[in-house]
Amino acid sequence: MAGAGDTVQNLPVEEAVAGDGVTELEEGSGDSTDGLRHYQSSDFATLQGEINVLHREITSRDILLRKLEESVTRLSEDIAPFKDYVKAKMQEEAHSASSHSSGSSEGGATQDGDQETEEEENNRAQNRCVDVMMSLTEIRENNEEKTQKVIGFYEKIYKASPLTSLMLTFLERNRGVKVLIDCDSHNISNLVRRLVSMDGVKCDGTAFHTFTDFFQCNVYLGGMVWQYKVIECRQYVYKNLDPEVSLAQSLMQMVMYYIFENRGCPYECDDDLYEKLYEKIEQEALQKKDSGVCVDDLIDDALSKKTPLAREVSLISVVPGMLVKYGSKNGMSKLQEKMPFLMLFFMQHVIPKIRSIVDEV
């Protein structure tokens, strides 16, 4: 640091600035500065373009998310009218069952000719569907008793609900599935030794009561009643699962595979809206389960799968499973109570798809 009285020597650049205000160094660097400014301007324009593209992408995603939120909100608002819809469906089904019933009325009077014809048509449709399904079914070490048992499976599924009869009608028209049943076992180990689960785990056939092989278009079923253990009221209890319930679930998984061509998920692979809605339904169901809300065993089993794909494929098949397990009226009531969004998704998205294909054939 210079002290008082010391001589301070100016640098060349400082002297030039003091004299003329512009240095030779500055004059010599003018061209470089102009080039740098041009480069910066060009680079800024490119950057601005990238920012605009990014802004449009973000805006598009925001629009999609906003539409998704609006759809979820509408889905919530639809629960109230959905209850009326389910009630109307139950009344419609009860009326249909009444018109299809055989025999006489309470007073002993017989039904008129039109009602008998309607009943006959319904019986013919059921018999035709069951006959076709039996032609697609292979029973291990078959005999007459086993044949009648399997016919009973299909009849129960068909009669359970108009929704499950529509499912079988689709398979009747499509005829692409093969059903293999072992009536002497509750698992499928005698039908297939090793397989890979939807969670991607290599398993033995003893681990499955039923299994849907999408690649071979095969459904495997252990035809004996399956006893399983669940926790209720903080203690283990044993319950029975009828084979026709499991068969209905596996058949629905195959129907989803045929219709949507998306690994068994109930929406097309490029349908972002329904994919997000279905994921939302699954996540809300998982949150309910994790919070300790009591859910049905079929729902709990579907949500217990390890991977999102396995849960999505299994969850949609809960609907026909519960309709066969509890009957149409009680099954719909339980679904409305436990999984209203799932039932709404099934009624408004899945069923119209199935019906449109059945009507085309």
Side-chain angles (χ1 to χ4, degrees):
M1 179 176 180
D6 289 346
T7 302
V8 179
Q9 182 177 2
N10 290 332
L11 296 175
V13 173
E14 292 173 334
E15 292 177 351
V17 170
D20 298 329
V22 178
T23 67
E24 293 180 2
L25 180 61
E26 288 174 330
E27 291 176 351
S29 64
D31 294 339
S32 298
T33 302
D34 291 340
L36 177 61
R37 288 172 179 169
H38 175 73
Y39 172 79
Q40 289 175 334
S41 176
S42 174
D43 190 55
F44 177 78
T46 302
L47 180 60
Q48 185 65 42
E50 293 175 351
I51 291 174
N52 290 338
V53 171
L54 181 60
H55 180 265
R56 285 195 297 271
E57 291 178 352
I58 293 174
T59 302
S60 298
R61 285 197 295 268
D62 288 343
I63 292 173
L64 179 61
L65 288 173
R66 188 165 60 252
K67 287 183 178 179
L68 177 60
E69 290 173 356
E70 291 172 355
S71 298
V72 172
T73 301
R74 287 196 300 271
L75 195 62
S76 300
E77 293 171 348
D78 281 341
I79 286 300
F82 169 66
K83 293 179 180 179
D84 296 333
Y85 175 79
V86 171
K87 183 178 180 181
K89 274 298 196 182
M90 292 176 181
Q91 293 173 343
E92 177 186 334
E93 186 175 330
H95 174 73
S96 175
S98 175
S99 64
H100 290 164
S101 62
S102 59
S104 60
S105 64
E106 292 180 2
T110 58
Q111 296 175 318
D112 60 36
D114 290 340
Q115 290 175 321
E116 291 175 354
T117 301
E118 186 178 359
E119 178 193 352
E120 290 172 356
E121 289 177 355
N122 183 68
N123 287 337
R124 280 198 298 271
Q126 175 185 306
N127 293 336
R128 180 177 61 250
C129 184
V130 172
D131 287 344
V132 171
M133 292 307 302
M134 288 299 295
S135 72
L136 303 174
T137 301
E138 180 180 307
I139 304 172
R140 180 177 179 270
E141 297 181 356
N142 194 18
N143 55 39
E144 181 61 27
E145 181 182 355
K146 294 177 183 178
T147 297
Q148 293 303 316
K149 182 177 183 178
V150 174
I151 288 175
F153 293 166
Y154 289 123
E155 288 180 343
K156 185 170 182 179
I157 293 172
Y158 191 97
K159 294 177 180 178
S161 165
L163 307 183
T164 53
S165 65
L166 181 64
M167 174 187 73
L168 286 187
T169 302
F170 173 89
L171 294 170
E172 172 203 342
R173 306 286 176 85
N174 184 76
R175 304 195 182 192
V177 67
K178 182 178 181 181
V179 183
L180 299 97
I181 300 178
D182 182 3
C183 292
D184 300 318
S185 175
H186 66 275
N187 63 58
I188 62 173
S189 59
N190 293 323
L191 302 173
V192 56
R193 292 182 179 275
R194 300 284 292 177
L195 47 82
V196 179
S197 71
M198 284 187 289
D199 284 324
V201 179
K202 293 181 179 180
C203 303
D204 187 84
T206 56
F208 295 92
H209 179 56
T210 185
F211 185 79
T212 307
D213 185 341
F214 296 127
F215 302 105
Q216 298 296 327
C217 294
N218 289 343
V219 168
Y220 301 96
L221 176 72
M224 294 180 65
V225 174
W226 178 39
Q227 190 175 69
Y228 58 101
K229 185 169 62 174
V230 295
I231 298 178
E232 283 189 355
C233 300
R234 299 182 180 180
Q235 62 180 359
Y236 284 103
V237 296
Y238 286 91
K239 291 192 173 183
N240 292 333
L241 181 60
D242 294 327
E244 56 265 30
V245 174
S246 299
L247 180 58
Q249 291 186 268
S250 291
L251 291 176
M252 178 53 71
Q253 292 173 12
M254 189 62 74
V255 170
M256 295 298 93
Y257 180 77
Y258 286 142
I259 290 179
F260 296 104
E261 299 180 344
N262 187 19
R263 303 176 298 170
C265 295
Y267 50 83
E268 278 99 2
C269 58
D270 58 349
D271 193 338
D272 293 336
L273 179 59
Y274 276 104
E275 178 182 359
K276 294 296 183 184
L277 285 174
Y278 192 64
E279 288 177 356
K280 179 72 174 177
I281 291 170
E282 177 205 340
Q283 291 303 316
E284 288 183 348
L286 283 171
Q287 291 173 4
K288 274 187 179 181
K289 178 185 174 184
D290 294 341
S291 64
V293 175
C294 181
V295 297
D296 188 84
D297 301 335
L298 298 185
I299 300 173
D300 183 74
D301 179 67
L303 296 176
S304 297
K305 307 300 182 188
K306 303 301 182 183
T307 63
L309 174 62
R311 288 194 297 270
E312 289 190 19
V313 173
S314 300
L315 192 60
I316 198 66
S317 69
V318 164
V319 177
M322 292 187 69
L323 294 175
V324 175
K325 181 179 179 180
Y326 298 110
S328 182
K329 184 176 181 179
N330 290 336
M332 277 188 151
S333 296
K334 288 180 180 294
L335 285 165
Q336 180 186 351
E337 176 189 355
K338 302 295 185 182
M339 295 286 292
F341 289 153
L342 178 66
M343 191 62 190
L344 185 62
F345 184 94
F346 191 87
M347 297 295 294
Q348 293 191 351
H349 180 59
V350 173
I351 288 299
K353 283 284 189 179
I354 301 176
R355 183 172 287 118
S356 65
I357 296 176
V358 167
D359 291 343
E360 289 176 0
V361 179

